[in-house]
Amino acid sequence: MHPEDKNVLIPKIATSFGGRIGRCGRVCEALTGAVIAVGVDYGTNEINAEKKALSYNKAQTLYQQFEKQHGNVMCRNLIKFDLSNPVELEQAKKEKTSETVCSNLI
């Protein structure tokens, strides 16, 4: 696969994460994206317990720091809307939570 082909796949791979996995409001996208970045830096394609443990440790530290800083890791608790509810989804859009809340989390 050419590097350009991978760049085309990245948005496709990320699409379903919107609203924290299909608008289910689970773990914040900013945190999930950061964990993916940890995987890029510390992940492995090898069967290597030490390398896996390092990656897990880095992700766990990031998770704990995010939770401590923001008081929660759950999207619906951070933005105060349940995106699986059409009425709340529209209200979240109206209040531009992705700009006012999410951009600050990123």
Side-chain angles (χ1 to χ4, degrees):
M1 179 179 281
H2 288 277
E4 299 84 32
D5 295 337
K6 291 179 186 176
N7 291 336
V8 172
L9 286 177
I10 292 168
K12 291 180 78 172
I13 291 167
T15 300
S16 298
F17 281 97
R20 288 324 316 135
I21 304 181
R23 294 189 177 135
C24 291
R26 301 298 183 225
V27 177
C28 172
E29 266 178 72
L31 177 56
T32 303
V35 171
I36 291 169
V38 166
V40 169
D41 284 347
Y42 297 97
T44 181
N45 290 328
E46 302 170 25
I47 301 173
N48 182 311
E50 278 186 30
K51 288 183 179 181
K52 263 186 150 176
L54 176 63
S55 182
Y56 289 173
N57 183 273
K58 296 289 185 181
Q60 186 178 65
T61 298
L62 175 66
Y63 183 101
Q64 290 168 344
Q65 288 174 341
F66 185 96
E67 187 172 38
K68 183 178 180 180
Q69 183 175 350
H70 301 292
N72 211 297
V73 298
M74 302 302 275
C75 174
R76 66 177 60 182
N77 296 334
L78 293 164
I79 68 169
K80 310 292 189 238
F81 290 103
D82 177 355
L83 300 180
S84 68
N85 176 318
V87 173
E88 290 192 39
L89 173 62
E90 287 307 311
Q91 188 64 32
K93 288 179 182 178
K94 183 178 173 184
E95 293 188 22
K96 299 181 180 181
T97 56
S98 64
E99 295 170 29
T100 60
V101 178
C102 302
S103 63
N104 292 325
L105 297 172
I106 295 167

